[in-house]
Amino acid sequence: MPRRNYVIFGFLIALLVFGVQSQPAARMSLHPGAFGHSLRVMTYNIHVGIGMDKKLDLQRIADVIKKQDPDLIGLQEVDRGVQRTQRIDEIAELAKLTRMDYAFAFNLPYQGGQYGVAILSRLPIRATEHRHFQNLREAERRGFIRAEISFHGRTLQFVTTHLDYQYGDGRLFETQQLLDALRDIKDPLIIVGDFNDVPAGQSYQLMLAGFEDAWSEGRSQDQGFSYPADKPVKRIDYIFMRRGDRVRTKRAWIVNTLASDHVPVVADLELK
């Protein structure tokens, strides 16, 4: 073979090898596994984009998300048009930065804007539902958002919420309302969020009556503390899968970052 042809041939082989290696490994999360289809899920209280350094930086939040490459994310403490966060539409900006679809539900009007929970999705969002919780004492109104997701020809229901941080009986009251509202859902159901409750708490125990905790099921080696971000001492952020839906946890982990006052919790799930 002439020398010129060797050079061309070598170039093509190198291009092929490096081209294959450049494919993002995390995108395999949407591919079939040995038993079913895998899904990467994250829950993240973003503290309206303000990190432990007290700086507002949505690009930093987006970078944390993109590095983990999740398919579905439940976000809590999200601002839209609020004075304290420069009247930025935070969920629209995060959707743009991560190139994901989004849904938002505001639970509280605040400083001329809206404050609530949101979902980012790499998968098509077909419909959404937002409900407020009745409240016992806490001044801050709470609620949840549910997204109907199209997933490999099936429908998946994905919910995120943020519960009362002051009173245990308030959290329990809201958890019961959440479960009552979702009782008739027939599709596989995943609930994530900041429950402001530790595993010994009543709200967490009520969830365990009908749901698996991805962290526990994934047999993670550490304790899964998610708050506060600089020195985590509490596990209050969760990913739950309803029992009987044939959804299992392959692994779960936390992401060490100071972009918010919480750290994200991430899990690779498999839907059989």
Side-chain angles (χ1 to χ4, degrees), residues 2 4 7 11 23 32 40 51 71 104 111 116-117 128 183-184 258 267 271:
R4 181 172 177 271
V7 173
F11 173 78
Q23 295 299 314
R40 181 166 293 176
D71 303 311
F104 175 81
Q111 292 184 350
V117 293
T128 61
R183 179 176 291 133
D184 295 330
L258 301 180
L271 281 71

Side-chain angles (χ1 to χ4, degrees), residues 71-90:
D71 303 311
L72 288 168
I73 313 162
L75 300 174
Q76 305 86 44
E77 297 195 17
V78 182
D79 276 356
R80 295 189 97 171
V82 176
Q83 181 180 344
R84 67 180 170 191
T85 46
Q86 304 171 18
R87 302 207 178 277
I88 298 169
D89 185 339
E90 292 194 328

Side-chain angles (χ1 to χ4, degrees), residues 194-212:
D194 175 0
F195 280 70
N196 276 312
D197 203 42
V198 296
Q202 290 181 299
S203 296
Y204 177 87
Q205 293 299 320
L206 180 58
M207 290 297 299
L208 283 193
F211 288 77
E212 299 280 1

Side-chain angles (χ1 to χ4, degrees), residues 5-59:
N5 290 345
Y6 274 117
V7 173
I8 294 173
F9 181 75
F11 173 78
L12 291 174
I13 290 296
L15 183 63
L16 177 61
V17 170
F18 286 108
V20 170
Q21 291 179 341
S22 68
Q23 295 299 314
R27 276 297 85 231
M28 293 296 289
S29 62
L30 286 175
H31 291 186
F35 303 100
H37 292 287
S38 294
L39 183 76
R40 181 166 293 176
V41 173
M42 172 187 283
T43 183
Y44 195 9
N45 181 324
I46 65 168
H47 194 227
V48 300
I50 297 174
M52 296 301 290
D53 58 2
K54 310 301 182 185
K55 295 180 180 178
L56 173 63
D57 190 343
L58 288 180
Q59 181 64 63

Side-chain angles (χ1 to χ4, degrees), residues 30 37 123-124 126 148-156 187-188 271:
L30 286 175
H37 292 287
L123 301 158
R126 302 199 309 200
E148 184 177 294
I149 305 295
S150 180
F151 181 67
H152 290 284
R154 303 168 63 184
T155 299
L156 174 70
D187 304 311
L271 281 71

